[in-house]
Amino acid sequence: MADIAPSAGLPRHVAIIMDGNGRWAKQRLLPRTAGHAAGINVVRRVVRYCADKGVEVLTLFAFSSENWRRPADEVSVLMDLFVEALARETRQMHEQGIRLRIIGDTEAFDGRLRRRIAESEALTAGNTGMTLMVAGNYGGRRDVVRAAQRVAEAVQRGELAPADIDERLIEANLSTANMPEPDLFIRTGGERRISNFLLWQLAYTELYFTETLWPDFDESQLELAFQDFASRERRFGCTGEQIQAGSAVGR
Ligand code: FPP
């Protein structure tokens, strides 16, 4: 992954767990799925805001590998929303120069969704603006396991010795290869957990939790998170004095 500047300004990579859709709907006596539908509107606003600000990568946790355990009708609505969102939003994202990538085990999705994903990724692949990574059927541990398997295969082929395995090699085999590490992680909805999101990648990320439920999250809330991030001192294992003196380098 790319080197990281020691001072925090605008985050290059923002990763978000969009939590609280179900509770938002329940508060309104609506079905949980109405919360997900409302959440899509916030996704659109947050994507636009981050792209306009100059964020390089935005990663959204849309569906975890554990979310299959939800009631079948909720899973089905989430899949439909995903298909519809891709159909509706891809062209506009393309016009904004956004490159879309889906990370996670997309083979588990039905053919309709897989085709949409392939089309949206292909259309936007050459764009040079913000990269929007949507994590779908994603699990952080599985991401690391897959990377370990790929590296083990290279060892088995005789291309590498076990002693050659280092952090950069693991990183290069994660689904986020060639992306900067997340600088800022945001979780809405009041829970203070990582929930098997980008486990390896979040090692040095600044964590930000807000009680706001995802459908109520907006540009002003995101700006608060950015301001909070800008006030943090990122030390990457160095002392505060080293950082102040400018002697520390990126990892
Ligand atoms: C968590 O809320 C949210 C999800 C599991 C799905 C998030 C999906 C969207 C916002 C829409 C799809 C997104 C894209 C990018 C197409 P929850 O249901 O766990 O809420 P709760 O904790 O209040 O029950």
Side-chain angles (χ1 to χ4, degrees):
M1 293 191 185
D3 286 340
I4 303 167
S7 66
L10 180 73
R12 291 178 67 191
H13 182 171
V14 180
I16 307 182
I17 295 187
M18 309 176 287
D19 198 13
N21 294 346
R23 278 164 287 162
W24 182 92
K26 195 170 171 199
Q27 285 171 1
R28 287 160 180 76
L29 307 178
L30 294 168
R32 292 178 53 80
T33 49
H36 298 315
I40 291 270
N41 295 327
V42 180
V43 169
R44 185 183 308 115
R45 290 167 65 169
V46 164
V47 168
R48 178 178 285 269
Y49 189 78
C50 286
D52 288 350
K53 272 260 172 186
V55 169
E56 291 172 37
V57 185
L58 173 64
T59 304
L60 301 176
F61 206 2
F63 193 84
S64 78
S65 42
E66 289 76 30
N67 284 150
W68 296 109
R69 297 177 193 152
R70 293 190 173 207
D73 58 342
E74 182 172 341
V75 170
S76 158
V77 167
L78 277 168
M79 295 299 150
D80 288 346
L81 282 173
F82 210 169
V83 174
E84 286 163 23
L86 287 170
R88 221 181 26 235
E89 311 291 342
T90 299
R91 184 142 301 275
Q92 195 159 8
M93 286 195 289
H94 184 47
E95 280 161 15
Q96 291 171 69
I98 293 171
R99 181 167 62 130
L100 182 71
R101 281 191 49 196
I102 311 296
I103 57 169
D105 291 335
T106 52
E107 316 88 72
F109 293 146
D110 70 23
R112 195 178 47 129
L113 180 50
R114 287 205 313 272
R115 272 193 301 283
R116 274 273 170 225
I117 288 172
E119 283 164 16
S120 299
E121 285 186 332
L123 179 70
T124 61
N127 290 343
T128 54
M130 186 177 81
T131 297
L132 173 61
M133 282 204 289
V134 176
N137 194 23
Y138 178 86
R141 287 182 178 174
R142 198 186 289 177
D143 201 2
V144 176
V145 167
R146 286 276 155 87
Q149 285 172 342
R150 287 192 198 109
V151 171
E153 283 159 13
V155 171
Q156 197 173 39
R157 288 193 299 270
E159 295 164 11
L160 285 176
D164 296 330
I165 301 170
D166 60 9
E167 293 185 12
R168 285 193 185 268
L169 193 60
I170 299 289
E171 282 167 7
N173 284 282
L174 291 169
S175 57
T176 49
N178 302 317
M179 298 290 155
E181 289 183 359
D183 302 296
L184 173 63
F185 162 93
I186 299 171
R187 182 172 186 147
T188 63
E191 310 288 356
R192 290 162 186 255
R193 288 191 286 272
I194 304 294
S195 296
N196 200 20
F197 196 21
L198 304 160
L199 294 182
W200 174 290
Q201 297 88 334
L202 291 171
Y204 286 94
T205 304
E206 297 296 328
L207 307 180
Y208 182 89
F209 299 96
T210 170
E211 298 295 319
T212 304
L213 304 176
W214 178 251
D216 291 327
F217 197 73
D218 61 13
E219 293 84 349
S220 65
Q221 306 259 336
L222 187 53
E223 192 51 43
L224 283 180
F226 283 179
Q227 282 168 16
D228 185 87
F229 173 79
S231 73
R232 310 254 184 124
E233 183 183 71
R234 307 191 72 196
R235 294 206 291 268
F236 302 105
C238 300
T239 66
E241 290 73 21
Q242 285 175 301
I243 298 292
Q244 299 305 330
S247 58
V249 291
R251 291 194 316 115

